[in-house]
Structures are given as C-alpha cells and as structure tokens.
Amino acid sequence: MLLLTLFLAAAGTISALPLEKRAISATLFAQGQLYNQYSAASYCPSNDGTVGHDLSCVTGNCPLVQTANTSVYLALPGSPNTDTAGFLSLDYTNQLIVLSFRGSESTKNDIVDISFTLRSYSRCSGCKIASGFYSAWQDVASQATSAVTSAMAANPGWPVVVTGHSLGGALATIAAAELRAGGLSVDMYTYGSPRVGNQATAAWISGQAPAQGANMRFTHAGDPTPYLPPLSFGFRNVSPGYHITSATGTFPTPGDIVVQDGDSVENAVGGSSEDQYEAHVWYYNATTLCYTAETS
C-alpha cells in the first residue's frame, strides 16, 4: 500500500469530472460482494500456499467464500522477483473459476507500487503500461494462464473471474486483459485498484467489455488510490467505474453504488489522510483484515 501512502498528500489536486447517478442492480451488487470477499481471502496466508485445500479467512471477513465448496487449484505464495501472490480457486457451489491477487504486503510489492514508469505495451497502437505492475504480472503469467486454461478444460462452461484489491486490483486488470487477448472470456472485479496504463491502454481494456467479459472497477468514498498514478503522469482509468458512496465501516446497498466513467472523481476524494486510508481498506467490508491481523 506504499502507493497510497506516497500520494495521499496529492489527493486534493486530483481533477474532478461528474458522476452518473445510476445505481447498480441487485445482481451486480451481490457479485461485487462475493468477489470482494475473494479479494479479501488473498490476504490470508493460509490461502496462497497449498493446492487442494478449501479457502478460509481466520478473521471472518469472507463468509460467502468460506461457506462455499472451494478448492485451491493454483497457489501463488509469492513470486521470487516481485512477491506476486494469490490463488486460483475452483468454486463448486457457484460453479466459478476465480483468480485472486493479493495487495501489497512486502518491500518487493512496494517497489512494484512505485515503479510506475510507462513502458511500451504491444497489445494496441500507442499503448503503454506501468512497468512495475506489468513485471509483477509477468512473474506469474505463465503459471496463471496455464492453470486457468486447465481449470476451464476440467470445468467446461464455468465463468472465469479475476479479482484483487489495491495492487491486487492492478494485477487483476492486467491479467484479465491478457487472458482476453489470448481468446478467453474473463470477468474482472477490482477494488481500490490504481491506474495501470495510459489512455490507449485504458481504452483497449475498456473496449474488451462486454464481449469478452465484464469490467467491474470498484472505488470507495475518499480512497485516492484509484486516481493514482496521477493524470499528469499520463495514466488513465479503465471504464466504467462503480463508486461506493457509503461511509467506511458501513455495509453499502445497491443504491450506494453509482456508475462513473473513466476518471470521474467528483466527491470521491477528500477528508484526512487517515480517512482516505480507511476508505482504501474498506470495500463492502474490511478487505485487508487478514493482513492487518497478521501484522498487529
């Protein structure tokens, strides 16, 4: 979460564009809650180390995942270069294949967070991508892609969902885009994700939906991370975004989530640095609770 810490002071300078006041459906709301809990589960050390075990959160913040019949298909305990971590899980209850990436927990993750030089990205004309986020994905790309393909073959017709919070959201964004580029249909659910590339990259990823899967990019209250790295560095957001307006610590309703296009941030960033941090770690629930418990 170093990226958030570095840029908290700059949050007040972020440009604002209007929000569209459209609430999301009850179905999308429920899906957002489920995949938020899958993101939360990636912070629990017990879920990223052993293939075959069921998912659980010792802190009790992923009950929808914990009560489902799940099995870890690929464990990502932390790659050697960038400490990219998470898991690929089979959800037999909901008939889903879920790839979840953990947010920042280590010095290697912090280096990824601040390595936001835009590098050339060959997927589209004029595309550029954050060097750190892309390197972190490349660290596990072969493993993850192979596992997703294998899981799909073993469970035909099951949707593939990629999710993550904070740094994990950035990795999920890139992973979903890359898997789609390989011909797969993938839904993307991210929470408090920073921007991953320039306007061309954001437009390319945005344009993959809905034909190749949904783009559900959640933001919350005064969390500034989704608007970083800043526009002045050449970065842009994937559209659409879904902004949770309810207060930190309060479980939202479908009416508390409004649609925003790209870099719209009106009423999205504000309050003290502590308020902004708390907004970053609360999405539907205390998303990083396993990490907080581990380090307290």
Side-chain angles (χ1 to χ4, degrees), residues 1-5 8 36 39 43 102-104 113 164-170 190-195 218-228 243-244 246-249 268 270 272-289 291-292:
M1 298 176 192
L2 181 61
L3 183 66
L4 171 65
T5 304
L8 278 174
N36 173 251
S39 294
Y43 282 99
R102 191 195 71 197
S104 302
D113 284 337
H165 168 263
S166 195
L167 168 61
T190 66
Y191 306 85
S193 172
R195 296 170 171 135
F218 287 87
T219 63
H220 174 233
D223 179 8
T225 309
Y227 314 106
L228 304 169
H243 183 61
I244 303 172
S246 55
T248 297
S272 67
S273 294
E274 181 178 356
D275 290 340
Q276 292 172 29
Y277 175 80
E278 293 299 325
H280 180 61
V281 299
W282 178 277
Y283 277 78
Y284 281 88
N285 69 1
T287 305
T288 64
L289 198 57
Y291 171 64
T292 305

Side-chain angles (χ1 to χ4, degrees), residues 204-221:
W204 175 67
I205 297 173
S206 300
Q208 291 179 321
Q212 292 180 274
N215 286 336
M216 301 294 294
R217 182 180 59 81
F218 287 87
T219 63
H220 174 233

Side-chain angles (χ1 to χ4, degrees), residues 1 17 22 28 32-33 55 66 132 193 276 279:
M1 298 176 192
L17 297 171
R22 289 189 286 122
L28 286 179
Q33 181 184 10
L55 298 171
Q66 195 159 299
S193 172
Q276 292 172 29

Side-chain angles (χ1 to χ4, degrees), residues 253-271:
T253 69
D256 293 323
I257 302 179
V258 296
V259 180
Q260 63 180 45
D261 287 329
D263 293 292
S264 303
V265 296
E266 183 181 339
N267 300 321
V269 177

Side-chain angles (χ1 to χ4, degrees), residues 121-137:
Y121 185 44
S122 62
R123 289 299 183 184
C124 66
S125 177
C127 277
K128 293 185 178 181
I129 198 164
S131 58
F133 298 149
Y134 189 60
S135 294
W137 159 246

Side-chain angles (χ1 to χ4, degrees), residues 12-197:
T13 66
I14 295 173
S15 301
L17 297 171
L19 290 171
E20 293 182 48
K21 304 300 182 182
R22 289 189 286 122
I24 68 171
S25 69
T27 298
L28 286 179
F29 177 85
Q31 290 171 341
Q33 181 184 10
L34 174 63
Y35 301 128
N36 173 251
Q37 292 190 19
Y38 266 103
S39 294
S42 69
Y43 282 99
C44 302
S46 62
N47 295 328
D48 62 14
T50 307
V51 171
H53 77 85
D54 57 335
L55 298 171
S56 64
C57 297
V58 294
T59 48
N61 60 330
C62 65
L64 296 175
V65 174
Q66 195 159 299
T67 56
N69 179 11
T70 60
S71 177
V72 173
Y73 195 81
L74 170 68
L76 298 170
S79 60
N81 296 321
T82 59
D83 195 27
T84 300
F87 57 79
L88 179 71
S89 178
L90 302 180
D91 183 331
Y92 295 97
T93 301
N94 298 297
Q95 295 192 326
L96 296 167
I97 299 167
V98 183
L99 177 60
S100 180
F101 290 100
R102 191 195 71 197
S104 302
E105 281 196 5
S106 66
T107 300
K108 288 181 180 179
N109 291 158
D110 290 341
I111 293 171
V112 167
D113 284 337
I114 63 173
S115 300
F116 43 76
T117 301
L118 284 168
R119 51 156 287 176
S120 180
Y121 185 44
S122 62
R123 289 299 183 184
C124 66
S125 177
C127 277
K128 293 185 178 181
I129 198 164
S131 58
F133 298 149
Y134 189 60
S135 294
W137 159 246
Q138 286 183 308
D139 234 8
V140 299
S142 178
Q143 287 176 276
T145 302
S146 176
V148 168
T149 303
S150 174
M152 291 178 67
N155 301 278
W158 285 21
V160 177
V161 180
V162 185
T163 189
H165 168 263
S166 195
L167 168 61
L171 293 170
T173 302
I174 298 171
E178 289 283 294
L179 290 169
R180 292 167 179 168
L184 305 183
S185 178
V186 177
D187 290 331
M188 178 193 81
Y189 283 73
T190 66
Y191 306 85
S193 172
R195 296 170 171 135
V196 303

